[in-house]
Amino acid sequence: MLILLFVIVMWYSGLFFQSFFLHRYAAHQTFTMSKTAEKITFVLTWIFQGPSYLSAYGYGIMHRMHHAYTDTDKDPHSPSYDENPFAMMWKTKNIYQDINNDRVAVDAKFKKNVPQWKRFDAFASSRFSRVLWGVLYITFFAVFASAWWQWLFLPVVLAMAPIHGVIINWFGHILGYRNFKTKDTSKNLFRFDFLMMGEGYHNNHHKFGSRPNFGGVRWYEIDVTYLIMRFLHRINLIQMKPIKIDVQRHR
């Protein structure tokens, strides 16, 4: 039971910081926060993503490129140009690392205001950090796993962030329904996105990239991450940008 609870907690906590910080803050800048809050969020992202930690800088730039080049040969991750999810994950990893380590030239428009904390990222992305988290996770499983099948969850928690990414960037372009006609293959994976905390409303998001609420087009589309953001805005930890979009008009 403790292993299952651990997996659930790590799934949703890691997913929240990927959606809230890396996606909606670093890539799309749907809200602002103080530099102190930003640095705290960097650290929390490292804690909850653990061995699969993703840099806000590398993620933010790569995701902006995804929106600019969706379903073209320049898209960092597209089912239209990759044979299977594993091939896409491997290509995405290489592109992300090249961007994050400044090994490729990146258009200035993709870099604008993307948060970067080089010294922390160097540590959080290091082999030492990833191995340390891996050892801690394995130790936790060794102490608390009560059945052999619980060990099957270990690869999931070790590769949590890439798994979250492939669910949206592969299946979110293959399965689901569409509220809007777009020039890409984006789809909404779920009617109620219980699994991905709002990230599953991928078609909605591709239609309105700067909109902080990925759901809300239909009554059952509840974006949990957005609800948390509204609470954080209300207690003045973040400042959400006022964006008014009449989604009905674009249906």
Side-chain angles (χ1 to χ4, degrees):
M1 177 60 74
L2 198 57
I3 292 295
L4 293 179
L5 180 61
F6 174 74
V7 173
I8 291 170
V9 169
M10 297 309 296
W11 178 273
Y12 284 105
S13 58
L15 174 60
F16 171 74
F17 283 99
Q18 187 162 335
S19 179
F20 167 76
F21 183 55
L22 305 183
H23 191 182
R24 307 191 200 206
Y25 180 75
H28 293 290
Q29 300 180 340
T30 62
F31 63 93
T32 61
M33 59 178 153
S34 70
K35 287 299 179 181
T36 299
E38 181 181 286
K39 281 184 164 36
I40 291 172
T41 311
F42 264 102
V43 176
L44 290 174
T45 302
W46 172 67
I47 290 172
F48 288 108
Q49 286 192 327
S52 61
Y53 170 82
L54 294 173
S55 158
Y57 180 77
Y59 182 100
I61 290 174
M62 186 173 65
H63 187 72
R64 291 180 181 185
M65 293 172 65
H66 169 62
H67 275 266
Y69 305 127
T70 309
D71 289 332
T72 71
D73 57 356
K74 294 183 179 180
D75 190 342
H77 37 67
S78 171
S80 301
Y81 287 87
D82 294 305
E83 295 179 359
N84 56 64
F86 300 103
M88 188 190 76
M89 290 173 72
W90 186 255
K91 184 179 80 173
T92 301
K93 178 191 78 71
N94 291 332
I95 293 173
Y96 162 81
Q97 290 181 337
D98 286 343
I99 293 171
N100 203 45
N101 294 307
D102 295 320
R103 291 197 292 254
V104 292
V106 176
D107 194 313
K109 67 182 179 182
F110 297 125
K111 294 182 177 182
K112 186 177 180 181
N113 296 328
V114 176
Q116 187 177 26
W117 188 2
K118 284 188 175 182
R119 292 183 65 181
F120 181 77
D121 270 343
F123 163 72
S125 301
S126 67
R127 183 172 299 177
F128 170 79
S129 173
R130 298 192 191 282
V131 170
L132 176 62
W133 280 118
V135 170
L136 290 174
Y137 284 15
I138 292 170
T139 301
F140 184 87
F141 272 72
V143 172
F144 295 107
S146 56
W148 68 267
W149 55 267
Q150 294 178 2
W151 284 90
L152 298 176
F153 289 106
L154 180 60
V156 176
V157 294
L158 290 173
M160 195 76 82
I163 290 172
H164 289 152
V166 80
I167 288 173
I168 300 303
N169 294 310
W170 181 271
F171 296 104
H173 285 265
I174 295 176
L175 304 174
Y177 67 97
R178 289 164 67 87
N179 283 330
F180 305 101
K181 291 182 179 180
T182 58
K183 294 180 180 180
D184 53 60
T185 59
S186 60
K187 294 177 175 62
N188 294 330
L189 271 174
F190 308 105
R191 302 284 171 173
F192 169 61
D193 187 12
F194 68 96
L195 184 63
M196 298 301 293
M197 296 182 70
E199 291 289 313
Y201 302 127
H202 203 50
N203 175 244
N204 296 354
H205 173 55
H206 269 262
K207 181 65 178 179
F208 304 112
S210 61
R211 185 170 178 253
N213 184 4
F214 293 178
V217 176
R218 301 179 185 271
W219 68 267
Y220 45 74
E221 294 177 352
I222 301 172
D223 182 348
V224 177
T225 300
Y226 173 68
L227 295 179
I228 297 172
M229 288 168 59
R230 286 182 59 183
F231 171 74
L232 296 176
H233 172 80
R234 184 168 296 180
I235 63 175
N236 293 320
L237 287 181
I238 67 172
Q239 295 75 46
M240 293 178 62
K241 297 179 179 180
I243 297 177
K244 294 183 179 180
I245 297 176
D246 182 1
V247 295
Q248 301 290 334
R249 187 182 304 164
H250 296 272
R251 275 182 155 181

